Amino acid sequence: MIRDGTVFEDDHLPSVIVGRNRHMNEVTDALAPIEDGFRAENCFLFGPSGVGKTTVARAAVRELRQEVLDVPHAYVNCWQDYTRKAVLEQLSRDLIGSAVSRSASTGRLIEHVQHELNGPGVVILDEVDQLRETEVLYDLHEIRGLSWIGIANREVDLFADLDDRITSRISVAYRVRFDSYREGTITEILTRRAREGLGPGAVDENVLARIARLTKGDARRAIAALRVGARMASREGLSAIPMRLVDDAVASAKREVRQKTISKLNTHQRALYEALAEEDGLIQKELYARYREIHDDPVTLRYLRANHLPKLEHYNLVDVEQHSGSKRYRLVDADHPELHPERA
Ligand SMILES: Nc1ncnc2c1ncn2[C@@H]1O[C@H](COP(=O)(O)OP(=O)(O)OP(=O)(O)O)[C@@H](O)[C@H]1O
Ligand SMILES: [Mg+2]
């Protein structure tokens, strides 16, 4: 039944971005000066998980490239590339296309990008709240002609730990806020995905509407549920997804998405997850104490609170409740903590 599995992959950039016209316009407007040879306006995209932030940023750059064919552009995922050096290396690879010696200093990397950058360019800084060495934001500011689209879940997480010098540079950036999708939009996104990726007649409107209802405005979960449903139906030799499989498909897709998120956790987030897997329902002080035992290079409680704990919440791995003046943390669906401990 699955004719083209690639359309269900997370990095598949759909040809049509459904229901985000305003967001698309705001980002393309910010980038528009590049068409006339000027530096674009920096902008931030904020919002919960699975609401199309990365997709809109990439689609806006795709549109720009239709106007300016050779516009220098880069994509950095700051969850993976969280040091100043890693960001600058990725930037140099994408923008310039030429390798710089592995031993090049950050100063040398900046010079190289500045020197070789051919006209105004743009970099997507995805998961920018996960940057460890935020001074790189200042470096980017110093590169003539370079602008960025920064993506994060919440504004407060981003500004929690920044140097004043950096804050003053980035606080003027334009902000675009995303909220969760309505069920009708998710249904439309799924209809298009099904048309591209599944055989004809594989789904009916009611099946898609049920997936939309159960995935609560998160397009990633909904698309994963469609793929899992198609797989389950194929296994039974069916050519369409029957309604009776939908709830299981949604539950299993949720586990798949969670598993993928867990595999992306950095050592600090993983240590927190592990602590909660051992003992659920810890208050912040207890959790921090346990984390310090697990991790051999622990960060401060303040940093943990500003940076790592919110990430676990946003990706629906951890639930937080107030408990007589203190926050209490639990794993979401703690009955199956899928953990592959790789301690720091
Ligand atoms: N408006 C849309 N039209 C079509 N597909 C979409 C749309 N929004 C999201 N998607 C699809 O949903 C999935 C999740 O979207 P995306 O990765 O952009 O979410 P996000 O907001 O960046 O989430 P996160 O904060 O978890 O990174 C992707 O596979 C994307 O292709
Ligand atoms: Mg994203």
Side-chain angles (χ1 to χ4, degrees), residues 165-217:
R165 190 180 64 152
I166 297 165
T167 308
S168 73
R169 295 291 188 291
I170 69 174
S171 58
V172 294
Y174 192 72
R175 278 124 168 102
V176 187
R177 297 180 203 283
F178 288 64
D179 44 13
S180 302
Y181 286 116
R182 291 164 195 275
E183 283 177 25
T185 312
I186 296 279
T187 307
E188 174 69 20
I189 291 172
L190 292 177
T191 304
R192 288 176 184 274
R193 265 335 133 101
R195 209 178 292 150
E196 283 180 60
L198 304 181
V203 279
D204 70 37
E205 180 82 11
N206 295 330
V207 162
L208 297 185
R210 174 129 190 103
I211 295 177
R213 181 155 347 116
L214 295 175
T215 49
K216 304 196 176 95

Side-chain angles (χ1 to χ4, degrees), residues 10 48-55 75 77 126-127 151 153 220 264 315:
D10 203 48
S49 184
V51 299
K53 301 179 299 297
T54 302
T55 304
Y75 174 88
N77 189 317
D126 209 350
E127 318 274 4
I151 304 177
N153 295 123
R220 179 177 296 115
K264 292 195 290 187
Y315 280 89

